[in-house]
Amino acid sequence: MPKKKPSEPRRIQADKNYIEVMGKIFAVLEYFVQRGSKQKGVAFSEVASAVPFARTTVHRILYSLEKLGYIEKEEIKAHYQLAAKFHDLTGSAVQFRRLQSLAKSVMQNLLLRFGETINLGVLEDGQVTYLDVLQSSSSLRIAAVPGERNPVHCTALGKAIVAFLPENELQAVLEQYPLVKKTPRTITQKRHLLVHLASVRERAVALDLEENLMGVICAAAPIFDKTGRVIAGISLSGPASRMEPRLTEIQEEVRSSARTLSRMLSPMPLADNEISPFARSGTR
């Protein structure tokens, strides 16, 4: 009886939505991210040896990335490095990850001291986005979740951040969303909000006195990067019944915590009576 011919292995169907060249491009970029910071430039021969592609393919990828401005080539030698455009593209994500990491211990200290929920937030598309939240252990608590968004005009975090924006950016944010009335205490008139933000700049701390949710009070302060630009805010929130008796102390500690984080992000330490270059110059 004739032997049965072995069947050929079935071919795996290719993913029609996958663009193969993209995988090659990002493989090259990932190599630069891992290796590029260790020396000023990376030789073409090193890149070609590190990725499993033909040298002509690597050359075309590097040429294209250089044309697009994401990689720079040294004039004398065939060395390449990531360009400023690439760092601009990834800078904010890296900055926020660093901020989150630095803020962890500061947030934990506030949580241990007051036992109330601590929030770290940034301005995103005209609203406050929560980067991190450490929830109070109390059964009576109100806490956002990372990724959640809230309006700026009725939240302490939002007011703490937008109060220190340059004037044109502040106006753009306020024009983006209407000042919706969330509670009877919400500020809904733009002129009133601008006066309120001026007081936030003077004190470097913002309050939400049941303006976003009745029965909840929040205190927040701005965080500045190494250039003195406001990039985030840190806040402490809890039930009004527990917050009101300690509100003065809470404001001082939240402001101090924000200043500590600003110092961590700044190459030059700020003096105790300094908040930021924007606050000093009156620029908004």
Side-chain angles (χ1 to χ4, degrees):
M1 192 173 179
K3 289 184 179 179
K4 199 170 183 180
K5 208 172 183 181
S7 58
E8 292 185 4
R10 293 176 64 184
R11 290 185 178 179
I12 299 173
Q13 188 174 0
D15 185 346
K16 294 179 181 178
N17 293 316
Y18 179 71
I19 303 173
E20 188 177 356
V21 70
M22 293 295 292
K24 296 179 179 179
I25 292 169
F26 277 95
V28 171
L29 281 173
E30 286 168 5
Y31 180 75
F32 273 89
V33 170
Q34 295 167 5
R35 183 73 179 87
S37 61
K38 297 179 182 178
Q39 59 187 61
K40 187 176 179 183
V42 182
F44 169 79
S45 58
E46 183 180 337
V47 182
S49 299
V51 293
F53 316 132
R55 291 174 70 89
T56 52
T57 300
V58 176
H59 181 269
R60 291 173 64 191
I61 289 173
L62 290 173
Y63 176 83
S64 301
L65 289 171
E66 184 186 0
K67 279 286 185 183
L68 292 169
Y70 292 106
I71 277 182
E72 293 175 337
K73 183 181 179 182
E74 293 181 10
E75 292 183 7
I76 301 175
K77 298 178 181 179
H79 279 64
Y80 299 82
Q81 62 184 353
L82 293 171
K85 187 176 179 181
F86 176 83
H87 294 296
D88 289 343
L89 193 67
T90 60
S92 60
V94 172
Q95 178 176 254
F96 290 150
R97 282 200 299 273
R98 181 169 179 248
L99 172 62
Q100 243 181 305
S101 176
L102 291 173
K104 227 25 166 184
S105 61
V106 175
M107 294 174 71
Q108 286 169 347
N109 287 338
L110 281 173
L111 178 62
L112 287 171
R113 177 158 186 175
F114 295 102
E116 302 294 354
T117 298
I118 313 301
N119 311 287
L120 182 70
V122 297
L123 186 66
E124 192 171 67
D125 297 328
Q127 294 187 306
V128 168
T129 298
Y130 296 87
L131 283 183
D132 202 0
V133 179
L134 297 186
Q135 292 194 21
S136 166
S137 59
S138 172
S139 57
L140 179 60
R141 65 178 184 270
I142 300 294
V145 295
E148 184 179 334
R149 290 187 177 186
N150 263 323
V152 298
H153 71 287
C154 59
T155 56
L157 267 178
K159 290 187 285 186
I161 297 171
V162 300
F164 291 90
L165 288 178
E167 181 69 29
N168 62 325
E169 293 183 27
L170 171 60
Q171 293 297 335
V173 168
L174 297 183
E175 289 171 9
Q176 195 169 356
Y177 294 98
L179 306 183
V180 176
K181 188 173 185 177
K182 302 292 289 290
T183 77
R185 299 188 177 187
T186 305
I187 300 173
T188 57
Q189 296 294 319
K190 185 177 176 181
R191 66 179 183 278
H192 295 160
L193 181 60
L194 291 174
V195 171
H196 180 76
L197 293 178
S199 71
V200 172
R201 281 192 294 277
E202 287 178 8
R203 298 183 298 113
V205 67
L207 293 176
D208 159 14
L209 300 175
E210 303 181 74
E211 298 161 49
N212 188 49
L213 192 64
M214 288 303 295
V216 176
I217 286 178
C218 185
I223 299 168
F224 302 93
D225 69 8
K226 62 184 179 181
T227 68
R229 179 179 175 82
V230 64
I231 58 164
I234 186 170
S235 72
L236 186 151
S237 60
S241 58
R242 295 201 302 258
M243 292 284 289
E244 284 176 340
R246 306 183 69 183
L247 194 52
T248 299
E249 180 188 5
I250 287 170
Q251 290 180 78
E252 291 174 357
E253 287 303 315
V254 167
R255 183 167 45 213
S256 176
S257 296
R259 188 177 288 120
T260 296
L261 284 169
S262 297
R263 285 195 183 105
M264 289 179 177
L265 294 168
S266 175
M268 295 295 291
L270 299 174
D272 287 339
N273 63 343
E274 289 184 315
I275 303 302
S276 79
F278 286 130
R280 291 197 301 272
S281 64
T283 306
R284 294 191 314 205

